[in-house]
Amino acid sequence: MSEITQNQAPAPEESAPDLVIITGMSGAGRTEAIHTFEDLGYFCVDNLPARLLPSLLGLAASPEGKSTHRRIAAVCDARNRDFFSSLEEELGKLEEAGVDCRVLFLDAADEKLVARYKSSRRRHPLCDDGMTIVQGIQRERSLLYNLRESAWAVVDTTEMLPQQLRARIKSLFSGEEERKGLAVTVYSFGFKHGAPLDADIVIDVRFLPNPYYDPELRHLTGLDAAVSDYVMCRSETEEFQKRWRALLDCVMPGYVAEGKQQLAIAVGCTGGQHRSVAIAESTGDYLKSRGYRVSIAHRDLSLAETAKADAPAGAPAASEAAR
């Protein structure tokens, strides 16, 4: 793998989005690259004619000139033939306008590109009738020569596996935000309503004292301060939190390094109303403090209110039914 890093563009204007142009040789990994930028939270467009770049930037700005998509990634490559020839001109205009634009050029050895095209059985975009794959590659290399020389970064994917390319792009473009490429969902649930089907990590907190048995807390949930304090301010929970967070600190960086894009952590108690809710909230807050992109949800929290609304007169309280 080789990499050429040019001087970064001037600091962008407040309203100018961060723009990455993905280009390079056909078969060098552009599809994998655009998927990686999507995972990093970029607004992505594939196979965009160069002359539409200003329109794309216009779509990303609000009427007040404020950017709504701070980060944009667009694939502009030789598939567009005549439209592609204007890319260098459009890049010059963007630089004059003070747009923070970086060109990522993906390359690979000719023999590797030939092998990839033979494996995929797809036609090379620059092969006209009667041309071989090698001739198409040579034609494309000639067309892209100046763009490769001026690119902000050149990544050679000849010996790369897809996950290695993803990791390289993240190291170049995510910086300290690499953890945010992993979307984490932490949710509570009740075992009596069924075990989770989509969780990567399941933690059972039924060993903690149950607020249900306190009449003043029974009809509340883990979102209420009284229940949260009951669960969290106990020696058992403090010891559990210490070990639980140590486990998370151990495994989460591994998920990031492995390139995992989505992770579900399920926290369960009996009914999904009290203990699991409080611990899920605490777990989500902790992971947010560690720099991860986290959503918190409560799968079974609505069941108590639904049961209460549907229960006939004289029936047990909803929270008792959902315990």
Side-chain angles (χ1 to χ4, degrees):
M1 178 190 68
S2 62
E3 175 193 331
I4 302 173
T5 303
Q6 306 292 339
N7 291 329
Q8 296 188 16
E13 298 294 333
E14 181 63 28
S15 61
D18 176 45
L19 174 65
V20 177
I21 303 297
I22 306 165
T23 190
M25 298 297 294
S26 299
R30 292 189 309 256
T31 299
E32 194 67 45
I34 197 69
H35 290 165
T36 304
F37 279 100
E38 287 178 348
D39 293 336
L40 290 174
Y42 280 72
F43 176 72
C44 298
V45 180
D46 191 13
N47 199 18
L48 182 74
R51 293 199 182 279
L52 293 182
L53 282 171
S55 299
L56 177 62
L57 294 176
L59 288 173
S62 66
E64 296 79 16
K66 299 289 186 180
S67 171
T68 55
H69 293 289
R70 286 297 303 169
R71 300 186 298 176
I72 302 172
V75 176
C76 298
D77 54 52
R79 286 175 291 176
N80 286 303
R81 298 288 183 109
D82 294 339
F83 293 109
F84 180 73
S85 61
S86 63
L87 179 56
E88 291 183 59
E89 177 186 348
E90 294 299 330
L91 290 175
K93 293 178 181 178
L94 293 175
E95 184 176 358
E96 292 177 2
V99 175
D100 180 17
C101 178
R102 300 176 183 180
V103 176
L104 172 63
F105 191 101
L106 301 179
D107 202 354
D110 288 359
E111 59 269 21
K112 178 61 73 170
L113 295 175
V114 170
R116 289 173 181 172
Y117 265 96
K118 284 185 173 293
S119 175
S120 69
R121 300 187 179 181
R122 297 191 63 193
R123 179 188 178 116
H124 191 282
L126 266 66
C127 278
D128 293 330
D129 292 342
M131 292 181 66
T132 66
I133 295 176
V134 171
Q135 289 174 321
I137 290 173
Q138 291 173 344
R139 183 179 182 185
E140 186 175 33
R141 237 180 236 298
S142 176
L143 180 65
L144 297 176
Y145 178 81
N146 290 335
L147 191 59
R148 187 187 193 281
E149 291 298 302
S150 61
W152 180 80
V154 178
V155 175
D156 188 330
T157 68
T158 302
E159 303 298 332
M160 281 187 174
L161 296 173
Q163 58 265 36
Q164 292 173 315
L165 175 57
R166 291 196 296 268
R168 188 67 188 131
I169 291 173
K170 288 179 180 179
S171 70
L172 286 171
F173 290 93
S174 66
E176 296 180 355
E177 296 183 353
E178 185 175 1
R179 291 182 175 185
K180 298 197 176 199
L182 174 62
V184 182
T185 300
V186 180
Y187 68 89
S188 65
F189 73 96
F191 278 99
K192 71 181 300 177
H193 304 298
L197 298 177
D198 60 347
D200 299 287
I201 300 174
V202 179
I203 187 72
D204 182 353
V205 297
R206 287 178 292 184
F207 68 92
L208 296 175
N210 193 349
Y212 171 82
Y213 294 108
D214 185 329
E216 294 183 0
L217 303 178
R218 179 173 300 178
H219 304 296
L220 302 177
T221 75
L223 296 178
D224 293 301
V227 173
S228 179
D229 289 344
Y230 180 96
V231 174
M232 305 304 296
C233 299
R234 307 182 73 92
S235 59
E236 303 98 313
T237 306
E238 291 174 359
E239 182 64 23
F240 162 72
Q241 287 278 72
K242 185 188 306 180
R243 296 173 184 267
W244 172 228
R245 292 179 175 184
L247 175 63
L248 292 172
D249 287 341
C250 175
V251 301
M252 296 299 291
Y255 286 125
V256 173
E258 186 266 339
K260 192 172 181 63
Q261 303 302 319
Q262 192 166 5
L263 180 74
I265 301 174
V267 183
C269 65
T270 305
Q273 306 297 313
H274 300 106
R275 294 164 291 181
S276 62
V277 173
I279 297 297
E281 289 285 328
S282 174
T283 299
D285 289 343
Y286 177 72
L287 291 175
K288 288 177 183 178
S289 74
R290 305 292 286 174
Y292 295 98
R293 182 159 51 100
V294 181
S295 299
I296 304 173
H298 303 292
R299 192 192 74 177
D300 299 329
L301 196 59
S302 62
L303 293 179
E305 288 302 318
T306 301
K308 184 177 180 180
D310 294 341
S319 58
E320 183 176 352
R323 179 173 64 88

